[in-house]
Amino acid sequence: MTRTVTVGLDGSPESRAAAEWAAREAALRGLPLKIVHVWEPVPQPVAQAPLPGGETRQRWTEEVSREAAEGLRLRHPGVEVVTDRLTGSPVDALTEAADSAELMVLGSRGFGGITGFVVGSVSLAVLAHAERPVVLVRAGEQAADEHKADPAGVPSTATPFRPVVLGLDLGTPDETLLGFAFDAAARRGASLRVVHGWSGPPASFHHLHGDAGLHDQLARGQAKALTELLRSWRQKFPDVEAIEASRCGSAAQVLVDASRETSLVVVGRRVRTSPLGAHIGHVAHAVLHHVVAPVAVVPHG
């Protein structure tokens, strides 16, 4: 079965921005773009009631998908665009679609004047349960936003891509996550900024042991571990400039701070078998709510 870049479309501004981003990603990967619209049937008692507008709404949603596909074909002539209309629960349908895709792209409403996302319940549920990477794109995302500013200070698609940023936990590094991030940077011809936040010992420890150089010793150890971890990946992707950023502090805050002026932020999500809970770690949560760039959440074991 041919893999696709799949996008969930509901006609909202955020889903339209996601569709544009997905088309650009499909071009980078040389894959078809699949537009998925989920039709959620009304409950049986409601369906039997003489309420007007149901058929009109259905025709409208079909028209939205058709017009979106035609527009994307015109703006991205090298990308094959197909549509798929699914029926059922949006969460279940989109999660199933995500699992058969190379990656799923979903829209999420931005805060407006404040950077970041308002993550809806559907997007959050798909993120939590999909077995393939899911990318969240805010409303208003433009192609030029992913690129460095031109000499006049204006973002332009004619300039190189901004860096890709990867949030990495040295305690549980995963090859799927690292591979996704290096591959994304390579396809964009961009550098990869690998960010690791670590916690230092409490102040009482310094007081008891009187070791003023302990922090520097820990910092050197963390930086060395990050360098060693990336050694083989630099060999696999020799054209990708991997920039290390090992900082003492909250992993979430360190990653958010490092994710300004970037084309894509990549974070991991550990797969959990329990049906309870959101299944999204606090670092991913922080990035989803406070980073303005598209965010890729990569599930791993």
Side-chain angles (χ1 to χ4, degrees):
M1 181 173 59
T2 302
R3 288 281 186 178
T4 62
V5 174
T6 300
V7 60
L9 182 72
D10 60 9
S12 64
E14 51 268 27
S15 73
R16 292 183 182 275
E20 292 291 341
W21 188 93
R24 299 194 297 272
E25 186 68 17
L28 287 174
R29 293 173 177 265
L31 293 176
L33 170 65
K34 179 186 287 188
I35 300 173
V36 171
H37 171 74
V38 182
W39 173 259
E40 188 173 18
V42 297
Q44 189 65 22
V46 177
Q48 293 175 349
L51 297 176
E55 292 184 0
T56 301
R57 179 170 174 266
Q58 183 173 352
R59 286 196 300 271
W60 176 81
T61 56
E62 292 173 352
E63 189 73 7
V64 166
S65 297
R66 183 184 65 80
E67 291 180 352
E70 291 177 355
L72 289 167
R73 292 187 185 105
L74 289 172
R75 292 186 293 276
H76 307 274
V79 176
E80 176 187 356
V81 181
V82 298
T83 61
D84 193 8
R85 182 172 175 270
L86 306 176
T87 302
S89 159
V91 171
D92 293 341
L94 289 173
T95 301
E96 185 175 350
D99 290 343
S100 62
E102 187 73 12
L103 75 161
M104 168 63 81
V105 186
L106 298 173
S108 188
R109 181 165 52 88
F111 281 117
I114 305 175
T115 59
F117 296 101
V118 175
V119 184
S121 59
V122 172
S123 295
L124 201 63
V126 176
L127 280 171
H129 297 290
E131 297 178 358
R132 300 288 300 171
V134 177
V135 179
L136 206 65
V137 179
R138 67 179 174 87
E141 170 72 17
Q142 301 289 329
D145 296 336
E146 301 175 291
H147 293 258
K148 297 178 181 178
D150 66 13
V154 179
S156 169
T157 56
T159 61
F161 276 93
R162 296 180 187 273
V164 173
V165 172
L166 166 64
L168 191 63
D169 181 359
L170 291 184
T172 56
D174 184 86
E175 291 197 353
T176 301
L177 178 63
L178 282 156
F180 184 96
F182 269 91
D183 179 73
R187 292 181 186 278
R188 288 163 172 76
S191 60
L192 176 63
R193 189 182 303 155
V194 185
V195 179
H196 166 57
W198 52 275
S199 300
S204 59
F205 185 90
H206 289 275
H207 177 74
L208 291 173
H209 292 265
D211 188 355
L214 178 60
H215 181 276
D216 290 341
Q217 181 180 347
L218 290 172
R220 288 193 297 271
Q222 293 288 335
K224 181 179 179 181
L226 182 57
T227 299
E228 290 298 321
L229 178 64
L230 295 179
R231 189 183 306 279
S232 63
W233 288 97
R234 286 190 166 104
Q235 295 172 353
K236 293 177 184 178
F237 293 88
D239 295 332
V240 174
E241 179 189 12
I243 303 169
E244 302 169 24
S246 178
R247 302 283 186 271
C248 179
S250 160
Q253 189 61 55
V254 167
L255 181 54
V256 169
D257 290 344
S259 297
R260 298 184 176 92
E261 297 187 351
T262 180
S263 61
L264 179 68
V265 179
V266 183
V267 293
R269 177 184 69 82
R270 181 169 292 279
V271 176
R272 301 173 184 173
T273 57
S274 170
L276 303 176
H279 293 209
I280 300 176
H282 73 283
V283 174
H285 262 295
V287 170
L288 290 171
H289 284 284
H290 297 292
V291 171
V292 71
V295 177
V297 181
V298 181
H300 59 83

